[in-house]
Amino acid sequence: MLELAIGLILAGCAIGAGLALIAGIGPGIGEGSAVAKACEAIGRQPECKGSVTSTMIMGCAIAETTGLYGLVVGILLIFVAPNQFVNILLRAIGK
């Protein structure tokens, strides 16, 4: 019975980590779209290259934080959470 509970904890953490890493898709799509629009803007008005580029880089950096948060959550669910949850389970059953 204890092995089943530990297996469920590990499976839940693995599934959660996989779902957390899906957060990397959004920034990739958003940054690709931002770069495409910046290239269009520079193509239409080459004299605005500096301001368009700096604004695009700032926006891409902000968008990337979402992917990094997902990565951190995924790493925590893989390496930290299983041990914590198993310790909570063992304390709850008195072992």
Side-chain angles (χ1 to χ4, degrees):
M1 186 69 170
L2 180 62
E3 292 82 15
L4 178 63
I6 292 174
L8 287 174
I9 289 171
L10 296 176
C13 288
I15 292 170
L19 291 174
L21 293 179
I22 290 176
I25 294 173
I29 293 171
E31 289 171 20
S33 175
V35 170
K37 296 295 181 179
C39 288
E40 280 181 32
I42 292 170
R44 290 183 185 169
Q45 294 183 344
E47 66 274 3
C48 294
K49 179 182 177 186
S51 64
V52 170
T53 303
S54 63
T55 303
M56 178 203 63
I57 290 173
M58 182 60 126
C60 286
I62 292 170
E64 189 64 30
T65 59
T66 306
L68 292 175
Y69 288 144
L71 177 67
V72 168
V73 168
I75 289 172
L76 288 174
L77 281 171
I78 291 172
F79 295 110
V80 178
N83 188 30
Q84 296 293 322
F85 289 142
V86 169
N87 286 339
I88 291 170
L89 173 70
L90 291 176
R91 275 186 276 149
I93 62 172
K95 285 192 176 185

